[in-house]
Amino acid sequence: MGYLHSRHEALAKAMAPYTVLLSSGFPQCRNYPDNTYPFRPASHFLYLAGWSAPGSYFLLHNGQAHLFLPPYTIDDVVWSGPGESTQEAARRSECTVHCTDELADFLHTQGVRPESICALPLPCEAQNESFEPLLGRSPSLGHELDRKLALALVELRLHADEQAQAELRVACELTVRAHLEGLKALKAPKEGKTEYDIAQAMLKVVNGCGGYVSFNPIISTSGERLHQIKLGAALVPDRLLLVDFGAESSSGWAGDITNTWPVSGRFSQRQAQIYNLVLEAHRSCVEALAIGVDYAQVHRRAVEVFAEGLDKLGILHGGTIEEYLNSNVVSLFFPHGVGHLMGLDVHDMEDLGDLAGYAPGRERSTLFGWKSLRLNRNLEAGMVVTIEPGLYFIPELFQAPQFMETVDKYVDMQIVGPYFEEVHGVRIERDYMVSETGSVLLTPDMPTTIEEIEQFMARA
Amino acid sequence: MGYLHSRHEALAKAMAPYTVLLSSGFPQCRNYPDNTYPFRPASHFLYLAGWSAPGSYFLLHNGQAHLFLPPYTIDDVVWSGPGESTQEAARRSECTVHCTDELADFLHTQGVRPESICALPLPCEAQNESFEPLLGRSPSLGHELDRKLALALVELRLHADEQAQAELRVACELTVRAHLEGLKALKAPKEGKTEYDIAQAMLKVVNGCGGYVSFNPIISTSGERLHQIKLGAALVPDRLLLVDFGAESSSGWAGDITNTWPVSGRFSQRQAQIYNLVLEAHRSCVEALAIGVDYAQVHRRAVEVFAEGLDKLGILHGGTIEEYLNSNVVSLFFPHGVGHLMGLDVHDMEDLGDLAGYAPGRERSTLFGWKSLRLNRNLEAGMVVTIEPGLYFIPELFQAPQFMETVDKYVDMQIVGPYFEEVHGVRIERDYMVSETGSVLLTPDMPTTIEEIEQFMARA
């Protein structure tokens, strides 16, 4: 009995006397039904059944785990090749394997009433209709039993078990290898290099291993556009390149790191100022990681470091650190959260809204910047989180009416002026697991300080 | 007034006095709402509005074309950068541009009743709910007005206008460039080369131009698995590599070609026999392309060439050509259609089911092989089609109970034996536009005959 069996046991215990039914989901069509995006099974399903085919169901009943696979016809053989054997599927999933054709009968024979089944909505809402013949309803987090299941899975998935840790290390190792190849591609001499050349080098590492990206990569010389996923801009020598790229291992686990590198191989003075300030915030946040610590306070730690640093640089002026914090002016330079949970999803379990990210009773702030904080819990052993503070110079924010008063009062636009063109955006992100000793770095070490990056890029 | 205006005029004429409402659709989530697959607007929308943002609407009312774009907030600026200006959107779409916030009011002010609006379902069904506040219903091909709109768009899109031809040439040219890079990568010496190395070289051409793939590429040494999209098998020297890869231009138009290359640079005798037979079928089908010709007969032409060729090779025996055709034995070697429509979708307009591919009154066959024919119409000038006959050696088909009698009667299993291991699968696909002179090749020429391929691979 392996690691999946332990998960089945833990979930069965939490959910007794109810029956659990999860679907792997179905491929989603891009522009017509036969042209689908690459299929990604639902993460809760993956957590309990390993990898599987579209249209499969995982059933946990009376403490026993069952996997129902769709029938495999001669047409499937023609289009997709011979399928996996039942034996192999049983071995991989640690489940008793059946055909989906038998599912309704199985439930009937076992005397399972639809009212005693808990299920979870699929990420693509339309696919929830597939539950209706079995449940007489679509799964919903508003349904008491489904919510109970969601909370039980959150409780399990929040704490990485040994296998999860091993899988995350694979994803993180792959992620760092990709970043190293990206950095090599950046320093390699080539005419007319673009952001895409870096992407290409990084994708090769991931896809070449049967992996995938855990999200659409951001590889941009306009780092101040937080989710700029269009690739292709020329690599202008005096710019910084912000690279936020994560691998997904072949079994579906995510890595997620961000580096900011100087295209020319050397940081300018202003670039170095901001880079070092972000690195200081990163280190300060990592030091703060420990069991029992409120992650919202880790975010606040980054904000404090930025307030002090931006004040020292003269970019903030006219107030005390306390006043900067109260005015939320730092969010204009740091408009996102300091990190998030990571696991089978790069923002783990966000399919459940804030059920995983926010402790019961906590709610999203409505404040600019703070409202983008994805994790607001007291940390526990085995939680896997990213730390990713960043500083950005987004011209539009400093002209927006809603921020005018704050900007006028606390931002020295004269001093900040050159940073817009020279710096754009800096983010430094690594992945950590909370442990008894504070935190464990999951992402293998790679050039992180200015000295390390410049030395790596200077080497032949 | 440009090409989009002409399309608006033609559609307005066909649909008067009704109002037309199309949606660009919304991004689809992969594992949670913020982690989406790369957004691809719905093709009918693209046809009339060029490219656009998620959540946009195209409205054709009283002969006037309008584009409604979603509001762009300061949060959008932070996450996605500054949006496109209204002026630029108007220029690109040849529409009057408004905000989606104004759409309901606009319809009301113009006195448009929901009963007079025609709409089309989006490829992702769940997204059709977005129409409900405007239409009081979801679009459906079962609805009389929506079906009228579908048929009007089929009539327009079936015939490539000048701009469509230009766009298709861009996509086809990009597709051929990618194949040439794939062929170069195949012949380049490298240790431990895999299918993925070829994919990498091909993807670089497409993605580097801001393009995309028009479908999940098939790059496989197991060409007999028709939609084998997993990459990564080692390139074993005595195998054939089947490469079915299409580019999508940055404006959304598709290319689609298939080559079959010998990994070693030389075809073996059996590989050459099958390759030349497929090429003969390809040429015979292309010769048949002309205005008025029934495309089902083009498929039949390929079946006939295969029947004769397989008989000559001794793979088929014990019957006349007529008997082979009547028994459907050729479909065991050629289990797919000879081609399909191509345009903004690689299988153009398959979001409408068979409304585009099948002429009114024609229906899909239920016969193995023939049931996979995607185009069954008399050809008209401006129709763009692929020609892609193939021969495959799929072991499971020759053991399947439903084909046992046919196999026993007409297939010499002794003779066919070595072809399973030596040939696997061969397909040759190019893209053509039906014209007054017969057909025009849209895909630039590239090595196609055995001699051309072997010479290309032998060159340093």
Side-chain angles (χ1 to χ4, degrees):
Chain A
M1 285 303 170
Y3 70 100
L4 289 170
H5 183 70
S6 310
R7 292 178 189 166
H8 301 162
E9 267 192 344
L11 186 63
K13 201 172 148 196
M15 294 306 296
Y18 299 105
T19 297
V20 170
L21 183 64
L22 292 172
S23 165
S24 67
F26 303 84
Q28 295 184 56
C29 84
R30 188 169 175 261
N31 43 348
Y32 59 89
D34 271 4
N35 204 9
T36 60
Y37 289 108
F39 175 64
R40 171 39 156 87
S43 294
H44 302 294
F45 181 95
L46 281 183
Y47 184 75
L48 294 161
W51 201 265
S52 193
S56 306
Y57 291 91
F58 170 84
L59 182 79
L60 192 59
H61 176 63
N62 269 348
Q64 300 296 313
H66 304 268
L67 180 65
F68 290 81
L69 296 175
Y72 208 77
T73 66
I74 193 77
D75 286 319
D76 294 315
V77 173
V78 169
W79 294 92
S80 309
E84 200 176 45
S85 73
T86 302
Q87 231 171 347
E88 178 61 13
R91 191 193 62 75
R92 289 216 301 170
S93 64
E94 302 177 25
C95 290
T96 309
V97 172
H98 318 253
C99 177
T100 50
D101 287 350
E102 305 159 20
L103 178 51
D105 264 1
F106 184 89
L107 291 172
H108 184 74
T109 313
Q110 299 278 320
V112 182
R113 288 167 308 120
E115 306 86 69
S116 68
I117 304 178
C118 322
L120 282 184
L122 287 164
C124 173
E125 270 182 59
Q127 301 185 348
N128 286 319
E129 287 175 17
S130 58
F131 281 96
E132 288 186 5
L134 299 162
L135 255 66
R137 61 179 181 89
S138 284
S140 157
L141 293 181
H143 189 282
E144 196 192 332
L145 278 192
D146 297 353
R147 199 173 182 86
K148 184 180 162 69
L149 173 57
L151 289 170
L153 275 164
V154 164
E155 192 49 35
L156 279 175
R157 289 179 55 190
L158 267 183
H159 308 95
D161 59 23
E162 263 182 52
Q163 180 70 19
Q165 291 176 32
E167 297 272 12
L168 284 163
R169 280 181 201 281
V170 168
C172 287
E173 194 265 337
L174 204 56
T175 300
V176 167
R177 266 175 52 208
H179 276 261
L180 285 171
E181 288 306 313
L183 185 50
K184 280 185 209 160
L186 182 61
K187 74 173 187 173
K190 192 195 157 193
E191 278 293 307
K193 228 171 1 179
T194 72
E195 295 160 351
Y196 187 71
D197 288 296
I198 312 304
Q200 181 81 13
M202 300 180 76
L203 286 168
K204 189 168 185 166
V205 175
V206 174
N207 297 340
C209 293
Y212 204 79
V213 284
S214 54
F215 56 92
N216 298 315
I218 298 157
I219 300 174
S220 175
T221 52
S222 298
E224 80 280 19
R225 309 309 184 187
L226 300 188
H227 271 188
Q228 167 67 276
I229 57 168
K230 228 161 89 180
L231 301 167
L235 293 178
V236 182
D238 55 2
R239 291 284 271 265
L240 293 173
L241 183 70
L242 189 150
V243 177
D244 188 348
F245 181 105
E248 184 175 280
S249 74
S250 58
S251 47
W253 294 78
D256 180 12
I257 82 174
T258 307
N259 283 295
T260 308
W261 299 317
V263 172
S264 67
R266 309 278 301 178
F267 288 83
S268 74
Q269 199 192 344
R270 284 192 186 84
Q271 289 169 350
Q273 286 166 356
I274 300 302
Y275 190 90
N276 280 329
L277 184 50
V278 173
L279 188 55
E280 186 190 336
H282 186 106
R283 286 173 169 168
S284 183
C285 290
V286 173
E287 272 168 32
L289 291 180
I291 293 170
V293 166
D294 180 355
Y295 192 81
Q297 293 305 317
V298 178
H299 180 80
R300 192 183 163 86
R301 186 73 207 106
V303 175
E304 286 166 357
V305 172
F306 287 156
E308 283 162 28
L310 292 172
D311 178 74
K312 254 184 222 150
L313 292 173
I315 290 174
L316 292 186
H317 69 177
T320 62
I321 300 300
E322 200 53 29
E323 282 168 334
Y324 298 150
L325 295 180
N326 290 337
S327 71
N328 198 30
V329 64
V330 173
S331 290
L332 298 180
F333 300 91
F334 174 41
H336 62 74
V338 79
H340 49 77
L341 292 168
M342 195 181 81
L344 272 163
D345 310 302
V346 66
H347 296 166
D348 209 29
M349 298 181 271
E350 269 197 13
D351 63 307
L352 304 176
D354 281 338
L355 268 193
Y358 276 59
R362 298 195 195 179
E363 273 184 21
R364 290 249 180 180
S365 163
T366 54
L367 217 55
F368 184 76
W370 283 85
K371 73 180 176 188
S372 301
L373 183 58
R374 297 174 184 278
L375 176 55
N376 194 335
R377 274 188 179 269
N378 290 348
L379 298 173
E380 299 170 26
M383 281 188 184
V384 173
V385 302
T386 67
I387 291 293
E388 50 177 313
L391 284 172
Y392 312 89
F393 298 87
I394 306 172
E396 294 83 355
L397 286 184
F398 297 86
Q399 291 149 15
Q402 61 265 53
F403 302 127
M404 198 74 86
E405 205 187 313
T406 311
V407 169
D408 281 351
K409 205 160 169 191
Y410 296 125
V411 180
D412 188 330
M413 289 306 290
Q414 203 79 33
I415 298 230
V416 83
Y419 289 82
F420 288 103
E421 259 318 294
E422 206 170 315
V423 179
H424 291 268
V426 172
R427 181 162 65 252
I428 304 172
E429 178 184 24
R430 301 288 186 265
D431 308 328
Y432 301 89
M433 188 175 68
V434 178
S435 78
E436 301 294 338
T437 59
S439 73
V440 176
L441 177 67
L442 291 177
T443 34
D445 224 9
M446 68 170 297
T448 301
T449 65
I450 286 185
E451 296 66 34
E452 287 164 355
I453 294 169
E454 289 188 345
Q455 272 175 26
F456 187 98
M457 292 188 74
R459 251 179 275 147
Chain B
M1 286 303 170
Y3 72 99
L4 289 170
H5 183 70
S6 309
R7 292 178 189 166
H8 302 162
E9 266 192 346
L11 186 64
K13 202 173 148 196
M15 294 306 296
Y18 299 104
T19 297
V20 171
L21 183 64
L22 293 172
S23 165
S24 66
F26 303 84
Q28 295 183 56
C29 84
R30 188 171 175 261
N31 42 349
Y32 59 88
D34 271 4
N35 204 9
T36 60
Y37 289 108
F39 174 64
R40 172 37 157 88
S43 294
H44 301 295
F45 182 96
L46 281 183
Y47 185 75
L48 294 161
W51 202 265
S52 194
S56 305
Y57 290 91
F58 170 84
L59 182 79
L60 193 59
H61 175 63
N62 270 345
Q64 301 297 313
H66 304 268
L67 180 64
F68 290 81
L69 297 174
Y72 209 77
T73 66
I74 194 76
D75 286 318
D76 294 316
V77 172
V78 169
W79 294 92
S80 309
E84 199 176 46
S85 73
T86 302
Q87 232 171 346
E88 178 60 15
R91 191 194 61 74
R92 288 214 304 171
S93 63
E94 302 178 24
C95 289
T96 310
V97 172
H98 318 254
C99 178
T100 48
D101 287 348
E102 305 159 20
L103 178 51
D105 264 2
F106 183 89
L107 292 172
H108 184 76
T109 313
Q110 298 279 320
V112 181
R113 289 167 307 118
E115 307 86 68
S116 68
I117 303 179
C118 321
L120 282 184
L122 288 164
C124 173
E125 270 182 58
Q127 303 185 348
N128 286 319
E129 287 175 16
S130 58
F131 281 98
E132 288 187 6
L134 300 162
L135 256 66
R137 61 178 180 90
S138 285
S140 157
L141 293 180
H143 189 281
E144 197 192 334
L145 279 193
D146 297 352
R147 199 173 181 88
K148 184 179 163 70
L149 173 58
L151 289 169
L153 273 165
V154 165
E155 191 49 35
L156 279 174
R157 288 179 55 188
L158 267 183
H159 308 94
D161 58 24
E162 264 182 50
Q163 180 69 19
Q165 291 176 33
E167 297 271 13
L168 285 163
R169 280 182 202 281
V170 169
C172 287
E173 194 264 339
L174 203 56
T175 300
V176 167
R177 267 174 52 208
H179 276 260
L180 284 171
E181 289 305 313
L183 186 50
K184 279 185 209 160
L186 182 62
K187 76 172 186 174
K190 192 197 156 190
E191 278 293 308
K193 227 169 4 177
T194 72
E195 294 161 352
Y196 187 70
D197 288 296
I198 312 305
Q200 181 81 10
M202 299 181 76
L203 286 169
K204 189 168 184 166
V205 175
V206 174
N207 297 339
C209 293
Y212 202 81
V213 284
S214 54
F215 56 92
N216 298 315
I218 299 158
I219 300 174
S220 177
T221 52
S222 298
E224 81 279 18
R225 309 308 183 187
L226 301 187
H227 271 189
Q228 166 67 276
I229 57 168
K230 229 162 87 181
L231 301 167
L235 294 178
V236 182
D238 56 0
R239 291 284 271 265
L240 293 174
L241 183 71
L242 188 149
V243 177
D244 189 347
F245 181 106
E248 183 175 280
S249 73
S250 57
S251 46
W253 294 78
D256 180 11
I257 83 174
T258 307
N259 283 296
T260 308
W261 300 317
V263 171
S264 68
R266 308 278 301 178
F267 288 82
S268 74
Q269 200 192 345
R270 284 191 186 85
Q271 288 169 349
Q273 286 165 356
I274 299 302
Y275 190 91
N276 280 328
L277 185 50
V278 173
L279 187 56
E280 186 190 336
H282 187 107
R283 286 172 169 165
S284 183
C285 290
V286 173
E287 272 167 31
L289 291 179
I291 293 169
V293 166
D294 180 355
Y295 191 81
Q297 293 305 317
V298 178
H299 179 80
R300 194 183 160 86
R301 186 72 207 107
V303 175
E304 285 166 358
V305 172
F306 288 155
E308 284 163 27
L310 293 172
D311 178 75
K312 253 183 222 149
L313 292 172
I315 291 174
L316 291 185
H317 70 176
T320 63
I321 300 299
E322 200 56 27
E323 283 167 333
Y324 298 150
L325 296 180
N326 291 337
S327 71
N328 198 30
V329 65
V330 173
S331 290
L332 298 180
F333 301 91
F334 174 42
H336 63 74
V338 79
H340 49 78
L341 293 168
M342 194 181 81
L344 272 163
D345 309 302
V346 65
H347 296 166
D348 209 30
M349 296 181 272
E350 269 196 14
D351 62 307
L352 304 176
D354 281 339
L355 268 193
Y358 275 59
R362 298 196 195 178
E363 274 183 22
R364 291 251 179 177
S365 163
T366 54
L367 217 54
F368 185 76
W370 284 85
K371 72 181 174 187
S372 302
L373 183 58
R374 297 173 185 277
L375 175 57
N376 194 335
R377 275 187 177 269
N378 291 347
L379 298 172
E380 299 171 25
M383 280 186 184
V384 173
V385 301
T386 67
I387 291 293
E388 50 176 313
L391 286 172
Y392 312 89
F393 297 87
I394 306 173
E396 294 83 355
L397 286 184
F398 297 85
Q399 293 148 13
Q402 62 265 52
F403 303 127
M404 198 73 86
E405 203 187 314
T406 310
V407 169
D408 282 352
K409 204 161 172 192
Y410 296 125
V411 179
D412 188 328
M413 288 306 290
Q414 203 79 35
I415 298 229
V416 84
Y419 289 82
F420 288 103
E421 259 317 294
E422 206 171 315
V423 180
H424 290 268
V426 172
R427 180 161 67 250
I428 304 172
E429 178 183 24
R430 300 288 186 267
D431 308 327
Y432 301 90
M433 187 176 67
V434 178
S435 78
E436 301 294 338
T437 58
S439 72
V440 177
L441 177 68
L442 290 177
T443 33
D445 224 9
M446 67 170 297
T448 301
T449 65
I450 286 184
E451 295 67 34
E452 288 163 354
I453 293 169
E454 290 187 344
Q455 274 176 26
F456 188 97
M457 292 188 74
R459 252 179 274 147

